């Protein structure tokens, strides 16, 4: 996308309203009313086939009658007229266009075909086209409201400025209104709709460079250009601009709903989440979290890279609730230092216990200065990374007293603090509300929401801290002459051996005598497996036999296996049987990788063997994790206790597992024709022994 024309669209010095009307209830009337409310100072040209003037301003009958080089056009025509309008805009050198009309890809093949024609016309002319099926955008920073939703300029306050990007117009408006109510500036609010040309990724790439944006709230149902999105998120992270993302699609039905709404195929949600988090993006699951996390991170953008959470309340019940809730959230509570405990002890009455979470008891009613003093003591503790203050408000004077004590402490803190007055929708004093609004602090009515948001804030710190690390790119082989499709296990194991990973001793036998020779060399007992590129599920057709103890048993197993496969797959031509030594028992894991059609390489690691089917205890990993991060991910598996050694067994050494994952990731990066790798099981052993790959499935997609 032409960055200059996108800038012309977002910051236009001249506009054309195509389809102008003097009806104040029409889309055109609403757009013009917005321009008037914002006192838009650029040139405005009106186009109307039926009216010589609108509201006293002259109209031209056609886009072709406009002067050349207008920055942006608002296309207010029905679906059938959009293509001609964009063609005319191209002829007049218009830089950008907003298309509100619906009836395109969201309706199926016919609409998608028309949308593609419009997109092709716009791209060829370099037009930055927003929509169709969108509600436009508002540039509050420069006073440009190109939307039919009635909007008014926001008060310009000191403090952070949010950029909102949403494929849904309703969600875009919802976010904007929520932030305005919280007293947070919104500088850009963009609805992208069907994204025929401009996508959320393009907008993020452009706005991440904008000085008027300090943090982003993004709602998308489909990321069309993952590489562009990841690059923009990396730039945002480097610039210290947090990105909070909500992306429906965790369930199949949600993916279907997204497809029907946007007219685009939904991608793999878990793959998306894994890779965007690697760039420091905070992925949230609910709209409440999208509001709340953006609220805190916008005001406290410095990542929490050390220290844990603290909670201060005037309720003993909240202390207990917080302990349970933080445990559920994975939000670790800080252990207070001795100096902090002593300071709290000196402040509090004898019947109060200094601890975290801290219960102030009723002492604050007589000494409201305790609220600010105790929070300050918590913030001064180097082991505390954030504080949630969850209080009952009391009477109006008590509310104000709490605010006067707390707000100066919160306002000067560089550690995130969330201020909660419980009571849900119970009205608060006007003076209190004004103080909180002017103080610019994250304010909540629910401790649950505040703690959940703070857990994401700590997660953001962890993501940012790890996102600059990359696994070492050890030398791996560049594979040649691989035919598309699956490849037999013995070929896959040869690749693993070239990587430096261990596989069982053995070899491919094409006759039973060769099998006996191999078994004699490696020693009984042995395993035999049928080998053919197309035979990916050997066990299902009797293609695996284990624990074969001698030559006679081997001859019998050889015949039985050939008979079984011959009956099940009469057209299959075996390349031979793989004869291997029996591996010593250990913990069975799975190591896998696949090349997602949208997102590229993704890694998988978890409990393998029969466990993968029974428990599905696996984690997806970005391909650039280093070995320490891979080990940390393994320790987050539900079955991670098995690594410590159960019932007298020795602990498992995870270093060889991490090394294997890292090598497979490098292999996938160097060999783009590999579509998938599945090593299951990979046997992990106690310290002093490398792991060993007992099975390996490779799928080749062909040259890319």
């Amino acid at each position: 996308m032409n960055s200059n024309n996108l800038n012309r669209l977002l910051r236009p010095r001249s506009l054309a309203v195509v389809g102008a009307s003097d009806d104040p209830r029409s889309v055109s009337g609403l757009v013009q009313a917005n321009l008037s409310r914002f006192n838009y100072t650029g040139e405005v040209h009106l186009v109307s086939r039926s009216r010589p003037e609108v509201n006293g301003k002259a109209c031209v009958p056609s886009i072709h009658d406009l002067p050349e080089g207008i920055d942006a056009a608002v296309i207010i025509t029905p679906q059938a007229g959009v293509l001609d309008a964009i063609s005319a805009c191209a002829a007049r050198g218009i830089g950008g266009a907003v298309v509100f009309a619906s009836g395109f890809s969201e309706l199926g093949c016919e609409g998608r075909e028309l949308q593609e024609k419009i997109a092709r016309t716009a791209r060829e002319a370099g037009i930055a086209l927003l929509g169709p099926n969108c509600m436009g955008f508002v540039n509050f920073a420069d006073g440009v409201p190109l939307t039919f939703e009635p909007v008014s300029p926001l008060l310009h306050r000191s403090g952070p400025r949010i950029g909102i990007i949403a494929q849904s117009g309703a969600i875009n408006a919802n976010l904007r209104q929520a932030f305005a109510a919280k007293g947070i500036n919104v500088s850009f609010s963009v609805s992208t709709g069907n994204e025929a040309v401009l996508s959320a990724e393009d907008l993020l790439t452009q706005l991440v460079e904008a000085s008027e944006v300090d943090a982003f709230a993004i709602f998308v149902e489909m990321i069309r250009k993952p590489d562009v999105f990841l690059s923009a998120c990396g730039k945002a992270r480097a610039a210290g601009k947090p990105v909070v993302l909500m992306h429906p699609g965790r369930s199949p039905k949600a993916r279907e709903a997204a497809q029907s709404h946007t007219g685009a195929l939904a991608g793999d949600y878990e793959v998306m989440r894994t890779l965007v988090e690697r760039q420091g993006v905070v992925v949230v699951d609910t709209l409440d979290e999208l509001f709340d996390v953006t609220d805190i991170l916008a005001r406290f953008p410095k990542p929490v890279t050390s220290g844990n959470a603290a909670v201060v309340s005037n309720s003993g019940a909240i202390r207990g609730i917080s302990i349970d809730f933080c445990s559920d959230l994975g939000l670790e509570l800080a252990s207070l230092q001795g100096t902090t405990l002593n300071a709290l002890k000196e402040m509090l009455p004898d019947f109060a216990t200094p601890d975290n979470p801290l219960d102030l008891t009723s002492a604050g009613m007589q000494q409201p200065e305790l609220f600010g003093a105790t929070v300050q003591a918590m913030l001064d503790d180097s082991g505390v990374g954030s504080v949630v203050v969850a209080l009952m408000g009391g009477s109006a004077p008590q509310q104000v007293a709490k605010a006067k004590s707390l707000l100066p402490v919160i306002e000067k803190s560089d550690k995130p603090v969330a201020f909660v007055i419980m009571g849900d929708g119970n009205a608060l004093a006007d003076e209190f509300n004004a103080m909180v609004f002017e103080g610019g602090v994250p304010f909540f009515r629910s401790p649950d929401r505040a703690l959940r948001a703070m857990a994401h804030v700590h997660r953001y710190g962890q993501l940012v801290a790890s996102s600059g690390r990359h696994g070492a790119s050890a030398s791996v082989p560049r594979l040649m002459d691989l035919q598309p499709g699956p490849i037999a296990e013995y070929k896959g194991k040869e690749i693993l051996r070239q990587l430096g990973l261990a596989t069982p001793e053995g070899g491919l036998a094409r006759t039973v005598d060769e099998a006996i020779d191999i078994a004699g060399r490696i020693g009984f007992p042995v395993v035999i497996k049928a080998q053919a590129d197309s035979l990916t599920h050997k066990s299902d057709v009797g293609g695996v036999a284990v624990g074969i103890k001698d030559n006679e048993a081997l001859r019998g197993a050889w015949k039985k296996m050939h008979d079984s496969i011959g009956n099940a797959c009469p057209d299959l031509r075996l390349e031979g049987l793989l004869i291997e030594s029996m591996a010593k028992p250990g913990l069975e894991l799975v190591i896998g990788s696949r090349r997602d059609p949208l997102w590229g390489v993704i890694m998988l690691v978890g409990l393998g063997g029969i466990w993968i089917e029974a428990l599905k205890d696996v984690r997806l990993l970005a391909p650039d994790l280093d070995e320490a991060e891979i080990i940390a991910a393994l320790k987050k598996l539900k079955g991670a206790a098995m690594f410590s050694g159960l019932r007298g067994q020795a602990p498992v050494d995870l270093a060889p597992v991490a090394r294997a994952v890292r090598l497979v990731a490098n292999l996938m990066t160097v060999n783009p024709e590999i579509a998938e790798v599945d090593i299951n099981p990979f046997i992990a052993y106690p310290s002093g022994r490398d792991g060993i790959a007992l099975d390996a499935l490779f799928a080749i997609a062909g040259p890319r």
Side-chain angles (χ1 to χ4, degrees), residues 95-118:
V98 178
V99 179
F100 299 136
S102 57
F104 294 93
S105 64
E106 75 277 10
L107 293 187
C109 294
E110 187 174 339
R112 184 177 297 111
E113 188 175 314
L114 177 57
Q115 179 174 303
E116 288 171 355
K117 290 179 181 178
I118 293 167

Side-chain angles (χ1 to χ4, degrees), residues 134-157:
C134 78
M135 290 179 65
F137 73 91
V138 184
N139 171 354
F140 289 99
D142 299 310
V144 184
L146 299 192
T147 179
F148 58 88
E149 179 195 1
V151 290
S152 297
L154 297 176
L155 294 174
H156 288 287
R157 300 161 44 82

